Amino acid sequence: MQIYENDDAFLELLMNFVGEGINSDESVIVIATDVHLKGLEFKLASHGLNVESLVSNHQYFPLNAEEILSKFMRSGWPDEELFMTVVTDLIKKAKAGDKKVRAFGEMVAILWAEGNSGATVNLEHLWNKLCQKEVFCLFCAYPKSGFTQGNEASMQHICDSHTRMVKGKPDSKDEILYKTIQSAKISA
């Protein structure tokens, strides 16, 4: 997980996460806002990757986070059965041909930005539950601006739900490294 100060730092880390997966012949699912999908596509193309080809070869799955959320949110709350169906189906498509899968999800950050901390924590729980059933590498990120006073308990729960917290840029004074936790199951 990354708590980021600005989009440039975030997109650089996301581009590295996606690029490492593509270079390792893994399938990569990115569930993000349109702004971040376009920024990521630009960064990938500037590093010589043909995004259209990656999509048509089923190696890169760029998906709109709001659209995916709409498939499993009911009355402002994630429906567990629908979430598991939607995301498991995506992972199965990405695993075609016995590929390893890595995924980035920005849906939790959207719920957090809307002030829906309860649904955010619940969605984090559902991702963790899915990670116990499916083998894949999961990365998510939150803008630091979304962490305001009054959300300390939810913020701590979110941080505790992740195996690793990362900076956006090494040695950057404006990025915060909250903690690092080791895990055998998931690595970012």
Side-chain angles (χ1 to χ4, degrees), residues 68-85:
I68 299 298
L69 274 170
S70 73
K71 293 181 179 187
F72 64 81
M73 292 295 290
R74 296 297 177 261
S75 302
W77 196 256
D79 179 284
E80 181 173 353
E81 186 176 329
L82 291 174
F83 169 83
M84 292 297 178
T85 299

Side-chain angles (χ1 to χ4, degrees), residues 19-28 59 97-101:
E20 287 173 12
I22 290 168
N23 289 334
S24 298
D25 199 33
E26 297 174 356
S27 291
V28 182
Q59 189 175 6
D98 281 337
K99 287 193 178 263
K100 288 184 178 180
V101 174

Side-chain angles (χ1 to χ4, degrees), residues 2-186:
Q2 180 190 31
I3 298 175
Y4 61 92
E5 298 273 349
N6 60 65
D7 278 358
D8 290 335
F10 161 66
L11 284 172
E12 189 66 28
L13 190 63
L14 182 58
M15 193 265 313
N16 289 334
F17 176 79
V18 171
E20 287 173 12
I22 290 168
N23 289 334
S24 298
D25 199 33
E26 297 174 356
S27 291
V28 182
I29 300 168
V30 176
I31 304 171
T33 62
D34 281 337
V35 170
H36 288 149
L37 288 171
K38 288 176 185 164
L40 176 61
E41 183 174 329
F42 176 79
K43 284 191 169 287
L44 293 171
S46 71
H47 281 81
L49 294 172
N50 182 331
V51 176
E52 283 184 31
S53 176
L54 292 168
V55 171
S56 66
N57 291 330
H58 307 288
Q59 189 175 6
Y60 176 57
F61 299 80
L63 303 161
N64 178 281
E66 289 89 353
E67 288 177 19
I68 299 298
L69 274 170
S70 73
K71 293 181 179 187
F72 64 81
M73 292 295 290
R74 296 297 177 261
S75 302
W77 196 256
D79 179 284
E80 181 173 353
E81 186 176 329
L82 291 174
F83 169 83
M84 292 297 178
T85 299
V86 168
V87 180
T88 300
D89 286 351
L90 289 172
I91 292 170
K92 283 180 183 174
K93 287 178 188 174
K95 282 186 174 181
D98 281 337
K99 287 193 178 263
K100 288 184 178 180
V101 174
R102 57 177 56 206
F104 166 76
E106 193 173 10
M107 297 178 293
V108 289
I110 291 170
L111 294 174
W112 188 261
E114 292 172 351
N116 196 343
S117 59
T120 302
V121 170
N122 186 260
L123 184 53
E124 286 285 2
H125 169 74
L126 294 177
W127 276 112
N128 288 335
K129 199 170 182 179
L130 182 62
C131 286
Q132 293 172 2
K133 296 177 182 180
E134 296 282 344
V135 177
F136 67 105
C137 180
L138 177 64
F139 171 53
C140 58
Y142 291 85
K144 185 180 174 209
S145 61
F147 289 95
T148 58
Q149 289 189 0
N151 287 324
E152 291 87 5
S154 293
M155 180 178 165
Q156 187 61 50
H157 184 78
I158 288 166
C159 291
D160 289 344
S161 297
H162 293 86
T163 58
R164 190 170 172 207
M165 310 296 267
V166 295
K167 288 186 189 185
K169 292 182 183 176
D171 302 321
S172 174
K173 293 188 181 351
D174 67 342
E175 297 292 326
I176 299 172
L177 178 63
Y178 288 89
K179 66 180 179 179
T180 301
I181 303 171
Q182 299 300 322
S183 173
K185 182 110 176 166
I186 303 171

